[in-house]
Amino acid sequence: MKAAIFTQKLTCYAALAAATATSPAMAQETQSEESTDFNNEIVVTATKRVESVQDIPISVSVIGGDTLAKSRATEVDDLVAKVANLQMNGVSGANVPIFALRGVSMADFSFNQSSPVATYYDEVYKGNPAFLGVSFYDLKRVEVLRGPQGTLYGKNTTGGAINIISQPPILGETSGYLNAGYGNYDRIEANGAINLPLGDNAALRIAGTIARADGWFENVVPGQPDLASVRQYGVRGSIKVEPRDGIDFVLRASTSFQNPRNYGIYAQPENVVRAGLGERQIASNIADERRNARTYSVSLTGNAELSDTLTLTSITSWDKGRFSLYEDTDGNAGQLLEIPYLDRATQFAQDFRLTSFLDGPFNFVLGAYFNREKVFNRTTLEIGKDIDFDGVPGVTVNDCAIGLPLACLFRNSFTQIKKSSALYADMNFDLSESLTLRGGLRYTHDKGRQIDLRADALGPDEVLLATLIPPTSIGYTEDNLSGKIGLDYQISDRNLLYAHYSRGYRAPSFNAQAFFDPSEVNVADSEKISAYEIGAKTQFADRAVTLNMAAFYYDYRNQQFLNVDPTTAAQTLLSIPKTRILGGEAELTVYASDTLTFHGGIGLLDTKVRVGNVSGVDVSGNDLANASSLTFNLSVDLTLFDNETGKLSFHPDLSYASSQYFDVVNVPRLQQGGYALLGGHIDFETSDGRWNASIWAKNLTNKFYFSSRIDLSAGFGFDYNHIGAPRTYGISVGTKF
């Protein structure tokens, strides 16, 4: 029966995708011993059906779980070097990136915001940073979908979606693996999984990861530890049950904890705040404060075959997370500016889908979605809290009253509740054997409230001086209709042309940066994108070469930005009326021989603000942030020998991003120049596949580059910068059973 076959295929193809040793190029699986014509394909469920990447009219990059593990892609940040036109802003530190996909990004670093590039774990949307946790372990694959999403996904987004898919339990099989490794900065790590049958119709899979490493940002303050360390673990348990033919359930529960020394800030100019310090040195007085992130997640995914042609899918999920850090914002041993952040969030979501498997020309996916997210945020700006103005020993509220804003703490807090309900549909109709009409619609009802936002001025002794913003509550309600329509033409098997138009929508946002005046309490308008795209999926040379291409044009309205009024210094969220983005991607995989494969991807972007004013500056004609005009990645898989002793292979990789700005004002001194990152790994596996070993390295040339930059010169006299990780390397050994 078709729905049952769907489930069986999904399990089989899961094993295939997990074995993929590719870059993100949209390519086939590694050639098997029996295959002589490269027939194995990467199979995905990006369209909520089991399909080859070559058959779906979507720009999507796929990275297999084995590739992620061997290339040391342990955090979501690592995807940037593997996916064309994907970039990030590291303003929130490692593993909490603000993604930019095709130039669509978020220009607000507040922890109450949800990115326009959605992140899904096993089809569960994770909006708030408190839900992200430890990302990459025991994965089947990662899919990166470009462009507006909403007619196939529970949550609508303007920029795209990143689907992180874990390995599911396998019925009737006892198996597992364990890997352990050591690297520079005394990195010690281990990860593994075990799969156990629970009778004939159920199975349990338990997976976990743990890692510790010293910080690479050397702290020169005596008695203070180095920053940017690693201390984390994650555990996930999954139970799969098939009570009868046509019905299956997967229950997943996970938790993770991160407790490292926090990231360090590279403040400039060097002759003022970094005098005498090297590139990766810092003088931090609060380095002993740890960054804490705790997550809990439970989800239940069920599939029920209602008939030979209809399958009902239900995904029910609950998430809870807490994220806190104490940031040495001025990047030195003084106390000019330090900021403690706290973010607590809970989320409940329900997604229902009805998927057809009709023999006729028409098929569809119908869905209903509900999401409720509750967030509590508290942020404190600690400004010159060590400055004594009154001459009395100890810095108190009296010093704040005299030196305002110096010697003061400015704290705001609020609770945010957002509810999103939606009905969505995705349909396709075969006009002929080669031509297919595709379309989709989504109706979304969003409602949000920001409750009891309050901002106070306090002394360093926590004594209240004044309430700057009394408890205030605001809200919004919005309805939106979005969708897509397009055509795709199957030239031949695995050769496809497509063109489509889609409309994307992102809900309004609350300003989290209201500290000094009630006028700062505001809501930014919803964002909308009209996206036009054409593309081609091609294979030739007996499927030894896969070349997939896409070109696009975006009409972007009301992109949300932080804005500082130049006359009052009030900070609000505003919407830039109009921006345009155009560009394209090409991804190539070449199986040159049984022992040599090339993978490459290139992304081109041209972004321009058409109409807009930010912080008193006319930004018309400026580039968007995190939008390099050129990105590319290249990797090689070379088998040096494969015999009765085992298999030895070499896998170098290179990524490049051209110059970019980190803000829409395009401050010249804060532009990041183009840079390349070189890495790779050498792997050995015994002939029986039981034992393996690997030597790996990232940023081999020890390239120094910025991952985010913010202009704080007007208020504090320095620029706030994050820098990328230095050269890291290590070895790992593993066993499978």
Side-chain angles (χ1 to χ4, degrees), residues 163-351:
N163 300 331
I164 301 170
I165 302 167
S166 67
Q167 290 283 4
I170 303 172
L171 299 184
E173 178 178 300
T174 299
S175 61
Y177 66 89
L178 177 64
N179 301 313
Y182 179 80
N184 61 334
Y185 301 104
D186 283 335
R187 182 180 180 95
I188 301 172
E189 60 187 358
N191 63 81
I194 185 169
N195 192 97
L196 299 170
L198 302 175
D200 296 332
N201 300 317
L204 167 69
R205 187 178 187 91
I206 300 175
T209 182
I210 187 169
R212 296 181 70 121
D214 295 338
W216 52 260
F217 213 144
E218 181 187 355
N219 194 1
V220 300
V221 175
Q224 289 289 331
D226 297 334
L227 296 175
S229 66
V230 175
R231 190 159 84 170
Q232 64 184 30
Y233 70 82
V235 179
R236 179 173 58 243
S238 306
I239 297 177
K240 182 174 183 178
V241 181
E242 292 186 0
R244 65 177 179 83
D245 184 36
I247 297 179
D248 67 82
F249 298 94
V250 179
L251 176 66
R252 299 179 177 91
S254 65
T255 185
S256 69
F257 182 60
Q258 299 177 72
N259 190 33
R261 307 290 182 189
N262 199 26
Y263 53 75
I265 303 303
Y266 189 95
Q268 292 178 304
E270 285 89 341
N271 62 345
V272 176
V273 293
R274 294 187 51 81
L277 297 178
E279 277 189 341
R280 293 187 176 93
Q281 287 185 326
I282 190 172
S284 175
N285 58 297
I286 59 171
D288 202 42
E289 297 287 341
R290 290 187 177 273
R291 174 188 180 100
N292 286 275
R294 167 71 78 179
T295 69
Y296 301 94
S297 179
V298 179
S299 68
L300 176 64
T301 301
N303 294 287
E305 179 186 322
L306 304 181
S307 68
D308 289 353
T309 59
L310 291 176
T311 294
L312 177 66
T313 299
S314 170
I315 305 168
T316 308
S317 62
W318 173 86
D319 288 271
K320 181 179 180 179
R322 184 183 188 276
F323 184 75
S324 65
L325 62 96
Y326 191 9
E327 180 184 85
D328 191 351
T329 310
D330 54 37
N332 61 51
Q335 299 185 53
L336 175 61
L337 180 60
E338 291 159 356
I339 306 178
Y341 296 92
L342 174 63
D343 177 33
R344 295 197 303 260
T346 57
Q347 172 184 271
F348 171 79
Q350 175 65 58
D351 194 5

Side-chain angles (χ1 to χ4, degrees), residues 127-186:
N128 192 271
F131 301 142
L132 294 180
V134 180
S135 299
F136 289 166
Y137 65 99
D138 197 42
L139 294 186
K140 182 167 64 175
R141 66 181 179 274
V142 172
E143 303 170 353
V144 180
L145 284 76
R146 303 177 180 89
Q149 307 296 322
T151 63
L152 282 165
Y153 285 82
K155 193 73 171 67
N156 52 291
T157 56
T158 51
I162 297 174
N163 300 331
I164 301 170
I165 302 167
S166 67
Q167 290 283 4
I170 303 172
L171 299 184
E173 178 178 300
T174 299
S175 61
Y177 66 89
L178 177 64
N179 301 313
Y182 179 80
N184 61 334
Y185 301 104
D186 283 335

Side-chain angles (χ1 to χ4, degrees), residues 85 87 101-104 532 550-556 559 578-585 602-610 621-631 658-661 666:
N85 270 339
Q87 294 171 269
L101 189 53
R102 289 181 168 178
V104 179
Y532 306 82
F552 59 90
Y553 175 85
Y554 289 173
D555 183 1
Y556 198 174
Q559 186 180 10
K578 193 172 183 180
T579 301
R580 69 110 176 103
I581 304 173
L582 61 91
E585 301 98 20
I602 186 171
L604 302 174
L605 274 181
D606 183 66
T607 67
K608 285 290 180 293
V609 177
R610 287 188 167 176
N622 285 11
D623 296 339
L624 289 178
N626 309 114
S628 294
S629 60
L630 170 65
T631 58
S658 63
S659 62
Q660 62 176 304
Y661 295 101
N666 290 182

